[in-house]
Amino acid sequence: MRYFIELSYNGKSYHGWQIQPHDISVQEVIENGLSTILGSKIAIMGAGRTDTGVHATQMFAHFDSDLIFKEKELVFKLNSFLPVDIAIHSIFKVKPEVHARFKALSRTYVYKVNIKKNAFTTDTSYYVKKVLDIDKMNEGAEVLFQYKDFQCFSKSNTDVKTYNCEIMKARWYYKDDELHFEIQANRFLRNMVRAIVGTMINIGIGKIEVADLHSIIKSKNRSEAGFSVPAHALYLTKIEYPEDIKL
């Protein structure tokens, strides 16, 4: 049987989602927990690979097992076993061909920018001292819909077959004393969201113009785009799948 796990995690203490040779990852901790509880080696496949320090309010992963167990009981046992910064929300059966990564239709990220100094949000948002022009930043976000190739926002030396991504949503909005950037796409390149946000902040402070974004994207050169904002304010918030994946 193939099972999906729906979970969330605070990425502060982890070197990203994917298992690393010498560093602790979210995937490794969950695999160890499942294997211990079920008494059998369990490998999981995540819907994405968040970088070091990035959080997820919604993540999915799948695993295969012929063992007999009750899903709700496994959720309870796994939450009791795992550290407080990883939470399991549900485990459910899916069709055998459903892959957590390749079957996903879209992923949504939110980046949180604090525009007012707050001692209690230093670990959850990125404080920008300068005044940001949200209207210009949203004009910049609109430009993204005109393109598919986002190599200029990709981390250098990334081994991918294509830099094409279909962006479905990109917008800035106020939430209390924060500016949030929400972006939805069918796939993301490594460091893509953080590079986009850094470039948008440069637009917001007047360092570059909205019109410059066209030449930046067309350049396909990472050095032409803006700085990469810190990881601690980035959240994977939603992953969408076809409605018929469950058994």
Side-chain angles (χ1 to χ4, degrees), residues 6-141:
E6 182 183 6
L7 66 138
S8 59
Y9 55 86
N10 183 321
K12 181 179 179 179
S13 301
Y14 301 98
H15 289 260
W17 165 266
Q18 192 173 15
I19 288 178
Q20 306 291 323
H22 307 293
D23 297 306
I24 193 70
S25 70
V26 179
Q27 181 183 13
E28 179 184 355
V29 172
I30 296 173
E31 284 189 0
N32 289 343
L34 275 172
S35 300
T36 300
I37 293 168
L38 296 177
S40 177
K41 179 63 177 176
I42 301 293
I44 64 174
M45 172 61 68
R49 301 174 182 177
T50 55
D51 290 335
T52 299
V54 175
H55 318 290
T57 58
Q58 184 182 61
M59 169 64 105
F60 288 95
H62 77 251
F63 70 95
D64 297 324
S65 177
D66 293 326
L67 299 172
I68 298 173
F69 56 83
K70 293 181 179 179
E71 289 93 332
K72 288 185 178 179
E73 287 185 6
L74 183 56
V75 170
F76 177 80
K77 290 179 181 179
L78 198 50
N79 275 324
S80 299
F81 185 91
L82 293 172
V84 294
D85 50 13
I86 300 176
I88 307 300
H89 303 297
S90 65
I91 295 175
F92 53 91
K93 297 184 182 74
V94 295
K95 296 175 181 177
E97 72 276 8
V98 177
H99 193 286
R101 180 181 175 190
F102 300 126
K103 203 67 174 180
L105 300 175
S106 70
R107 298 157 179 84
T108 301
Y109 282 89
V110 170
Y111 194 88
K112 299 181 180 181
V113 174
N114 207 318
I115 53 178
K116 182 179 180 181
K117 191 173 184 181
N118 187 330
F120 300 101
T121 60
T122 55
D123 290 336
T124 59
S125 64
Y126 175 49
Y127 176 46
V128 176
K129 298 178 183 178
K130 296 182 179 180
V131 176
L132 296 171
D133 188 330
I134 187 174
D135 292 330
K136 284 190 175 181
M137 291 161 74
N138 269 321
E139 285 181 37

Side-chain angles (χ1 to χ4, degrees), residues 134-192:
I134 187 174
D135 292 330
K136 284 190 175 181
M137 291 161 74
N138 269 321
E139 285 181 37
E142 289 290 325
V143 172
L144 299 175
F145 296 113
Q146 301 177 35
Y147 296 91
K148 298 290 185 183
D149 188 325
F150 295 102
Q151 185 174 354
C152 71
F153 297 124
S154 175
K155 191 170 185 177
S156 302
N157 303 317
T158 299
D159 184 20
V160 294
K161 294 180 180 179
T162 176
Y163 292 96
N164 287 359
C165 305
E166 181 186 351
I167 293 181
M168 305 158 185
K169 181 189 294 183
R171 66 182 183 121
W172 288 90
Y173 59 93
Y174 287 105
K175 189 168 183 180
D176 300 324
D177 291 327
E178 293 182 341
L179 268 179
H180 288 191
F181 178 63
E182 182 180 33
I183 184 166
Q184 178 187 14
N186 66 328
R187 64 190 291 265
F188 287 93
L189 305 168
R190 286 194 65 191
N191 203 56
M192 178 175 167

